Amino acid sequence: MKAPNMTVRAHSSSILKDLSLKTHPLFTAPSHSSLLPSTKLLKQTHAKLLRNGEIHDSLTAGKLIADVATSHYSNLPYAFRLLSHPHFPLNTFAWNSLIRGFADGPIPENSVYVYRRMLAGGFAPNNYTYTFLLKASAFLAEPRLGLSLHANIISRGLDGLDPYIQTSLISFYAALVSVDTAQQLFDESSMRDVTAWNALIKGYLASGQYMKVIRLFQVMQDRCNVCADEVTMLSVASACAHLGTLDVGKWIHTYIGKNKLRMTLNLGTALINMYAKCGDIESAIALFWKMEEKDMRTWSVMISAFSLHGLAKEAFDLFMNMQRVGIDPDSVTITALLSACSHRGLVKEGRIILCRMSTVYNIEPTIEHYGCIVDLLGRAGHLDEALDLIRKMSLKPDVVLWGSLLVACRVHRNIEMGKVVADEILELDPCNAGALVFLSNLHAAYGNWDRVQEVRDKMKEQRINKPPGSSLIELNGVIHEFLSGDKSHSQVDSIYMMLDEIGRLARRKGHKTAMDGFPFDIDDEDKEVCVSQHSEKLAVAFGLINTRPGSVIRVIKNLRICSDCHEIMKHVSEAFERTVVVRDCNRFHQFSKGSCSCVDYW
DNA sequence: TTAGGGTTAG
């Protein structure tokens, strides 16, 4: 296959030319007394080879470079000096070893510099050389570099011969260009082993095409007779977690056991995450305690699982437990903990965690941490404190951070602050749908219909839309998706009849449609119709029709559940004697006997 | 004597 996008390739040559060896604080050669044991040994070997003259033997010298370059990245300048010595017997293996060392180190662009020196010295790169360089280009998030390397691979006739290069290219295209191009390369490749499949599947996972991940996993085994391995299962488990498909998730857990795949630390962690994200917290807990080995990620995943399910106390207990067994939290652990505070309104605890971050845990707060705190303070009604925190923090606030505060302003009906926040958002992102809708509703509330029209026109002109609400529900391993007001499902008539029935039962219990956040210039009746056909209601109606009485109905929603749907779900759980679990973009809501696990705080 | 695919929060 030819490298796509020739225009990019034409000017990408500058990437290979305008480079020099970059330094890094970690590259500073350690003083003699602080030499790592292995470094000391390497220097002794070097000295010995110099003394006995074996350094002039190309194979021996190459081995020394390889050992030095792959020992620790602080030794990379040492390896580079060795290789630059005028009498050093250079060979491709030595060059590759140095490229490999730099590609895995803190400054991957140095590997490209070494590659350029290798070419200038008249050495021909081989198939090994490009696997290291393509990895470096992925680390550097530099598509032009990868495309340029692909061009070199083709011109040297190395494409299509080596499965390692093929997979490296698939992986590079999936990560930095497009998964479609990766798929094209994969289709044209004659060597589709499990690693190539894994690279492709990972590409679909990274691009958010989760159903495709599961489909590919099936095709790979059923039609192509390739056995999945632990790495495949990691991607499939992650796709299940995103989709919330518990049945498929359970099936892959069984598949791992049946096919005797190794339950690695990473795979166990991915499965815990899958169970938690699919709403089965009990299985997540059971697997967590069953795992003999747990690393910081395993603990963090479990803490965030508790957080997602509104179990803040359990999240804090586990956090303490984690430290007791000597595992330090990282930035993700703290995010999970702060998010647990947010879901339960634990303002005091959240403030303490923020204070301790840099002093006790040695973690500098990032914009995400501030996001959690702003969310926590905002939801709890401490709007002034949240705004003050944003103004005082050393980081530049982003749209997401302001967005959290805007949601809080809407919930607590602080119109004045909401206006200020919406302006801040539009300053950063003039097309931000959330801020524009807020302003439109604000003008409508004051009857400024001209201004409303102005905002609406702008949204129309720029084709700005809020993402449509979508809900997923799994039935017998098949995922059914519903959009708001969806009439495309084959069971449309019975779904809408069930929806009417739910509405009747709810009204009998005194339910009145809650239409918060809706444009004020739509007729009340229209608003009611819109709300009554929200995607999660359609999914639950479908679930009620198609599942046996008493079974749990699980729905995954892409947006935050609205107040009306939240109330309706409570009625459904009571009237139909069903547990309804809804995962919205923030957390889980478990409705049972007329109430929700979030105790109406979300 | 070197190589490809890896889960987590927001």
Side-chain angles (χ1 to χ4, degrees):
Chain A
M1 178 191 168
K2 282 179 186 165
N5 204 344
M6 303 305 277
T7 50
V8 173
R9 199 203 303 178
H11 68 261
S12 66
S13 57
S14 62
I15 290 187
L16 297 177
K17 280 181 184 163
D18 308 334
L19 271 172
S20 56
L21 193 72
K22 293 193 176 159
T23 56
H24 187 275
L26 293 169
F27 283 171
T28 315
S31 68
H32 191 71
S33 60
S34 67
L35 284 183
L36 302 162
S38 61
T39 311
K40 213 171 173 179
L41 203 67
L42 288 165
K43 294 212 167 191
Q44 283 168 357
T45 310
H46 183 192
K48 196 177 125 197
L49 296 178
L50 280 171
R51 271 199 306 273
N52 64 19
E54 279 187 78
I55 195 78
H56 301 298
D57 171 59
S58 167
L59 286 182
T60 313
K63 179 80 172 62
L64 179 66
I65 289 262
D67 288 347
V68 174
T70 56
S71 58
H72 188 264
Y73 46 69
S74 61
N75 286 331
L76 283 165
Y78 170 28
F80 185 74
R81 279 196 305 276
L82 259 171
L83 186 131
S84 307
H85 194 276
H87 299 302
F88 192 87
L90 287 165
N91 58 28
T92 300
F93 173 68
W95 284 108
N96 283 350
S97 299
L98 195 58
I99 289 170
R100 175 187 169 204
F102 277 121
D104 291 333
I107 305 183
E109 57 260 58
N110 279 342
S111 63
V112 186
Y113 172 73
V114 176
Y115 171 62
R116 198 166 67 85
R117 288 274 302 258
M118 176 186 190
L119 295 179
F123 288 87
N126 60 13
N127 42 347
Y128 289 90
T129 320
Y130 290 104
T131 56
F132 307 129
L133 289 165
L134 283 167
K135 201 202 252 181
S137 77
F139 274 136
L140 292 165
E142 185 47 84
R144 288 188 303 146
L145 172 60
L147 291 170
S148 158
L149 291 167
H150 191 183
N152 289 1
I153 290 167
I154 293 168
S155 63
R156 288 175 189 279
L158 292 169
D159 63 321
L161 295 172
D162 186 311
Y164 289 87
I165 288 198
Q166 285 296 317
T167 308
S168 299
L169 283 169
I170 290 167
S171 187
F172 154 74
Y173 277 99
L176 298 187
V177 182
S178 81
V179 71
D180 294 338
T181 320
Q183 175 79 61
Q184 207 181 325
L185 266 174
F186 179 85
D187 292 342
E188 289 169 8
S189 166
S190 54
M191 291 155 290
R192 295 175 214 154
D193 61 7
V194 65
T195 313
W197 277 95
N198 288 345
L200 184 68
I201 288 175
K202 175 71 209 308
Y204 281 105
L205 182 72
S207 68
Q209 299 182 59
Y210 309 121
M211 299 224 206
K212 181 89 184 178
V213 169
I214 294 170
R215 262 202 304 276
L216 275 182
F217 165 62
Q218 288 160 345
V219 171
M220 160 185 178
Q221 300 169 94
D222 299 345
R223 279 196 255 147
C224 302
N225 221 6
V226 176
C227 289
D229 67 4
E230 293 83 3
V231 178
T232 325
M233 302 323 282
L234 277 178
S235 288
V236 182
S238 176
C240 289
H242 282 282
L243 291 168
T245 57
L246 184 59
D247 288 350
V248 182
K250 278 181 181 166
W251 184 87
I252 64 143
H253 193 173
T254 312
Y255 177 98
I256 292 164
K258 268 191 182 164
N259 290 280
K260 298 196 169 46
L261 297 182
R262 265 187 329 124
M263 180 59 83
T264 58
L265 175 59
N266 289 341
L267 190 50
T269 305
L271 285 175
I272 292 170
N273 178 54
M274 179 277 293
Y275 277 120
K277 294 268 174 67
C278 291
D280 188 351
I281 188 79
E282 291 80 15
S283 296
I285 296 169
L287 185 56
F288 176 81
W289 290 115
K290 201 177 153 196
M291 279 175 66
E292 283 170 17
E293 194 193 351
K294 302 179 190 71
D295 68 358
M296 188 250 295
R297 287 178 181 197
T298 321
W299 288 88
S300 294
V301 160
M302 198 59 232
I303 291 171
S304 87
F306 282 133
S307 160
L308 206 59
H309 287 261
L311 301 166
K313 187 185 173 301
E314 286 80 353
F316 270 88
D317 286 349
L318 203 65
F319 179 61
M320 297 301 174
N321 217 333
M322 168 184 179
Q323 290 170 90
R324 263 198 296 276
V325 298
I327 296 185
D328 291 328
D330 80 337
S331 173
V332 178
T333 325
I334 301 293
T335 308
L337 212 55
L338 288 173
S339 135
C341 294
S342 187
H343 292 152
R344 273 284 182 240
L346 305 177
V347 175
K348 198 178 87 190
E349 288 80 354
R351 287 191 192 117
I352 294 172
I353 295 286
L354 184 69
C355 282
R356 285 189 184 170
M357 275 187 74
S358 45
T359 54
V360 180
Y361 308 124
N362 210 14
I363 299 165
E364 280 312 307
T366 64
I367 198 92
E368 283 82 18
H369 297 118
Y370 282 110
C372 289
I373 290 282
V374 166
D375 190 56
L376 165 66
L377 294 170
R379 270 171 214 254
H382 301 274
L383 295 174
D384 291 324
E385 190 181 341
L387 182 61
D388 202 42
L389 183 74
I390 295 181
R391 298 267 188 234
K392 282 185 181 155
M393 66 184 207
S394 52
L395 301 165
K396 189 178 182 297
D398 64 2
V399 174
V400 181
L401 192 63
W402 285 118
S404 301
L405 190 54
L406 185 67
V407 170
C409 290
R410 196 173 48 114
V411 170
H412 293 284
R413 301 189 185 277
N414 189 329
I415 290 168
E416 256 172 56
M417 193 186 286
K419 168 89 179 64
V420 172
V421 174
D423 287 342
E424 290 280 0
I425 294 175
L426 293 172
E427 181 91 22
L428 293 169
D429 173 16
C431 296
N432 187 278
L436 288 169
V437 169
F438 181 89
L439 283 182
S440 159
N441 286 342
L442 182 66
H443 296 316
Y446 286 100
N448 295 330
W449 300 111
D450 292 347
R451 300 292 300 277
V452 173
Q453 202 51 48
E454 227 174 79
V455 178
R456 290 282 164 84
D457 289 346
K458 184 180 174 183
M459 290 182 75
K460 226 177 216 172
E461 263 169 42
Q462 313 258 354
R463 296 186 179 175
I464 304 165
N465 286 312
K466 281 184 90 172
S470 144
S471 293
L472 305 177
I473 181 167
E474 184 185 38
L475 185 73
N476 304 325
V478 179
I479 299 160
H480 298 258
E481 183 180 19
F482 293 91
L483 300 177
S484 193
D486 206 334
K487 294 209 166 62
S488 62
H489 198 277
S490 57
Q491 295 181 21
V492 60
D493 291 339
S494 35
I495 291 171
Y496 277 83
M497 270 165 67
M498 178 54 86
L499 216 53
D500 288 342
E501 173 69 7
I502 294 170
R504 259 196 306 279
L505 288 169
R507 276 194 297 278
R508 210 180 291 162
K509 287 273 181 185
H511 175 75
K512 281 205 175 102
T513 309
M515 289 168 292
D516 52 325
F518 255 75
F520 295 93
D521 59 342
I522 294 181
D523 290 338
D524 271 355
E525 200 180 325
D526 284 351
K527 277 188 247 174
E528 209 165 320
V529 171
C530 277
V531 175
S532 71
Q533 297 175 2
H534 272 178
S535 61
E536 56 270 55
K537 288 197 183 91
L538 295 172
V540 164
F542 172 80
L544 284 170
I545 298 166
N546 291 290
T547 55
R548 57 189 164 73
S551 60
V552 179
I553 297 176
R554 298 174 196 276
V555 172
I556 310 290
K557 165 134 205 226
N558 65 336
L559 307 173
R560 195 167 167 263
I561 187 170
C562 83
S563 326
D564 191 69
C565 288
H566 198 265
E567 282 307 303
I568 287 288
M569 298 303 165
K570 287 193 210 165
H571 289 301
V572 167
S573 72
E574 195 172 30
F576 294 85
E577 295 180 357
R578 292 287 196 111
T579 296
V580 179
V581 181
V582 178
R583 185 184 96 185
D584 73 4
C585 62
N586 252 327
R587 57 163 296 157
F588 275 96
H589 299 263
Q590 183 161 331
F591 302 91
S592 176
K593 295 176 185 154
S595 56
C596 179
S597 60
C598 77
V599 279
D600 297 341
Y601 186 88
W602 87 97

